[in-house]
Amino acid sequence: MTAYFSPSLALLLLSLLANLPFSALAAEAPAVSNDSTVTVSYQPYPNWVALDAVIEPTKAATVSAQTSGRILKLNYDVNDIVAENAALLEITSKEQGAQLASAEAEYAKANAQNIEAQAQLKRYKTLFPQGAISEGSMDEAEANAKSTQQAVSAAKAGIIQATESLKYTAVSAPFAGVVTKRHVEQGETVSPGQALYSGYSLKQMRAVTQVPQRYINALKSHPQFKLTLADGTEMTSDKLNLFSFVDPISHNYKVRIELPSNIDGLIPGSLIKAQFVSGQRQTMFIPESALITINDLTGVYLQQNDKWVLNQVRLGQQDGDNFEVLAGLSNGDVIARDAYQTLLRLQKQSKP
């Protein structure tokens, strides 16, 4: 653990500390004013549970072929950024175009027959009351009119189906994102259901972690995570999806943590730190300025009987500009607030 100080002070300290062992610097010297001291005391502190979480996209998909044909053109490759509805590839469309032309011709034929049948039914309805048309002929005309109407509806459906099949020859991206895999090559023949491209959206990510059973009640009572990215960026999220069942292998609960949108540097598959609070514990924190590092050992200046003694400490986690003390100090101890300034004063006082 390294304490930070100005370059000029660093040069002076290096000259003072050169070749001196840690024990030599622990000699007693008169204490300075109490204005520059810190009284160490135990205080309640949240007990943070730290877990590893994996980044994954909330929106990912594999685009498959919805019609058959040969691939004419591939517009994107792996790692390319794709806009929403952009054409990913093109498939031969001669067969689909011919099916559309056939469907349109069938519709024209059915529509003409329907017009004739409806006109005939209208004439029969005029002549039937006069006795010029038999009841059997009238029934036949009505049935024929209904049949041709249905044929027109079927022909319209055929056009819709053929049109959609033709559209399927130009495969488009369902959302904006990045291509992660290309499953086909140009010139290949594809069939319905065959995978073409895989990718995910860059806009929304989530973190997934496994919470041990013993902590699940604490998480439910305080459902919030503090997340630390690889670059040190910290954020909080209370939008959690806590699975209601336990993994039979790890015996952990899976938790999905929703992250804010459009965060730079989030890469699916990468690890981040996820922490949540599980109760409280009694611990002590001291300011970073109270620490001094000599020969890879970290210590503080402890006041004992109106004198300063360099005392080694073992540190835990960091919280802002403060460090947790795991060992080396007791409740009520008084230490120097600025260790390096205290060292300089002691050096001056020790000169004859």
Side-chain angles (χ1 to χ4, degrees), residues 24-162:
L25 294 169
E28 296 182 354
V32 296
S33 171
N34 290 334
D35 295 338
S36 59
T37 61
V38 175
T39 301
V40 179
S41 62
Y42 282 105
Q43 296 179 353
Y45 184 77
N47 186 34
W48 289 95
V49 178
L51 303 171
D52 287 331
V54 180
I55 297 297
E56 68 176 27
T58 58
K59 187 183 291 185
T62 295
V63 179
S64 301
Q66 294 178 275
T67 187
S68 59
R70 182 171 53 85
I71 297 177
L72 292 176
K73 185 180 180 181
L74 294 170
N75 298 325
Y76 294 94
D77 205 345
V78 175
N79 205 41
D80 288 344
I81 303 298
V82 181
E84 185 175 0
N85 295 323
L88 298 174
L89 56 81
E90 297 178 14
I91 301 174
T92 52
S93 59
K94 289 184 179 180
E95 181 180 351
Q96 291 79 2
Q99 290 175 353
L100 178 59
S102 176
E104 290 175 342
E106 188 66 27
Y107 172 74
K109 177 182 177 181
N111 191 48
Q113 291 176 345
N114 182 54
I115 292 175
E116 180 182 357
Q118 298 303 327
Q120 184 179 15
L121 177 61
K122 185 177 180 180
R123 290 193 301 270
Y124 277 20
K125 286 183 178 181
T126 303
L127 297 174
F128 183 71
Q130 302 174 7
I133 299 298
S134 65
E135 186 175 352
S137 298
M138 186 64 187
D139 292 341
E140 184 179 353
E142 289 178 346
N144 188 42
K146 291 181 180 180
S147 177
T148 55
Q149 277 185 329
Q150 294 298 324
V152 170
S153 298
K156 286 182 178 180
I159 290 178
I160 294 174
Q161 183 178 7

Side-chain angles (χ1 to χ4, degrees), residues 182-241:
R182 178 167 55 84
H183 301 275
V184 292
E185 298 289 344
Q186 184 172 342
E188 287 187 16
T189 300
V190 296
S191 56
Q194 183 174 346
L196 303 174
Y197 279 97
S198 295
Y200 61 82
S201 173
L202 295 170
K203 291 184 178 180
Q204 185 65 52
M205 299 288 175
R206 65 189 176 202
V208 180
T209 188
Q210 301 284 338
V211 178
Q213 286 181 277
R214 63 182 180 275
Y215 295 123
I216 200 64
N217 289 331
L219 180 60
K220 288 180 178 179
S221 63
H222 189 71
Q224 186 179 61
F225 272 91
K226 180 172 72 173
L227 305 168
T228 306
L229 306 185
D231 60 359
T233 303
E234 292 187 351
M235 64 187 71
T236 59
S237 176
D238 57 1
K239 297 180 180 179
L240 311 180
N241 182 9

Side-chain angles (χ1 to χ4, degrees), residues 111 123 149 163 194 205 240-241 244 254 263 278 281 301 340-341 351-352:
N111 191 48
R123 290 193 301 270
Q149 277 185 329
T163 301
Q194 183 174 346
M205 299 288 175
L240 311 180
N241 182 9
S244 58
K254 186 175 182 179
I263 299 179
S278 177
R281 57 189 173 88
Y301 277 101
Y340 285 96
Q341 290 295 336
K351 292 182 179 179

